[in-house]
Amino acid sequence: MKKRLLAALMAGAMALTMTACGGTNSDTANSDTNDTAEGGAAGSYKVGVVQLVQHEALDAATQGFQDKLKELIEADGGSVDIEVQNASGDSANCATIANGFVSEGVNLIMANATAALQAAQAATADIPILGTSISDYGTALGVTDWTGKTGTNISGTTDLAPLDGQAEMLQEMFSDAKNVGLLYCSGEPNSAYQINTIKPILEGMGYTCTEYAFTDTNDVASVAQNAASSSDVIYIPTDNTAASCTEAIANVVLPAKVPVIAGEQGICSGCGVATLSIDYYELGEITGEMAYDILVNGSNPGDMEVQPAPNFTKMYNAANCEALGITVPEGYTAIEG
């Protein structure tokens, strides 16, 4: 009897000891988790980048994103594997890439351009998504009462330059012009948004504006020809399809002696004379900083304001201006290269 009582007492003591040890391990684990959530050392992350098409502006944004995110995470003792995939201008490819990233279980998706963002939005409501090179998030995401935050798993940066500033630039350089052709891709919602915004501004300045919309790369040249034949100056917004077809547009507008005001530097470099533009590499860096806050500090994308580019610069294409005999006003910076 005494032996059975002694055994029972020893078993109880061992159970209490094991319970105490279990409580200590749990407290330690919770402490580690909290440290990370409150901004502790970075861990190891997998990030997927889906980019709509390859061209100078989008490439720069993607590179800026990669460089800044790696810099911040590695400086904090962590590591990040960034996989970049290009959709070659095909929205269906964007969907395939985004769904692939979801299947892989990446920690974050960066979507470069509107079609890429829309594909990522359709692919997941759980994985954090950051967009970049997006002109208007309300239009891209189908949000009618846009407030600057999505309230979902999405945030990012916008490349929209002040459209009233672009209109003022056009007026500054071509005050004697009468007819302005608005050349853009009808398949890009953000391009349509820009045209719908700048058109009444230009008309308020006294210009007659006519829209010339192409559907894809196949009809860019023919639509550009129609625009050049009826316009004193052409305006092209920030438009990914146009950006990938600047050579075709230049082959039309330069022989026709019709200048192009462009929504961004890449288009201006190819076929334009002037632009009020941003630094896309810098825009990508800002997106990378936002990704760090989400991955390491636990920030909620839905609570993060979409960030604009911090700087805008009046720039001109020296070669095209010379070819068209255009004198550039003071205060413009030549596009290098």
Side-chain angles (χ1 to χ4, degrees), residues 195-266:
I195 294 300
N196 291 336
T197 301
I198 200 170
K199 184 177 181 180
I201 298 174
L202 291 169
E203 290 175 338
M205 293 176 172
Y207 295 105
T208 298
C209 297
T210 304
E211 296 183 27
Y212 298 91
F214 49 86
T215 57
D216 54 35
T217 57
N218 295 319
D219 61 343
V220 169
S222 60
V223 176
Q225 186 64 61
N226 291 337
S229 64
S230 304
S231 307
D232 300 314
V233 57
I234 291 174
Y235 172 77
I236 302 177
T238 300
D239 183 294
N240 293 308
T241 307
S244 65
C245 298
T246 56
E247 183 177 357
I249 297 172
N251 289 339
V252 171
V253 298
L254 293 179
K257 301 295 184 182
V258 178
V260 169
I261 295 292
E264 54 93 6
Q265 181 178 336

Side-chain angles (χ1 to χ4, degrees), residues 274-332:
T275 181
L276 180 62
S277 190
I278 67 170
D279 184 330
Y280 276 84
Y281 183 87
E282 184 177 41
L283 193 71
E285 287 184 307
I286 296 171
T287 315
E289 291 171 353
M290 296 176 74
Y292 174 85
D293 282 339
I294 292 169
L295 294 172
V296 179
N297 298 331
S299 295
N300 179 10
D303 296 332
M304 301 172 75
E305 290 271 1
V306 168
Q307 297 297 307
N311 302 301
F312 301 93
T313 305
K314 287 183 176 181
M315 308 188 79
Y316 72 98
N317 183 320
N320 287 352
C321 285
E322 182 178 357
L324 298 179
I326 295 171
T327 301
V328 181
E330 293 184 3
Y332 285 69

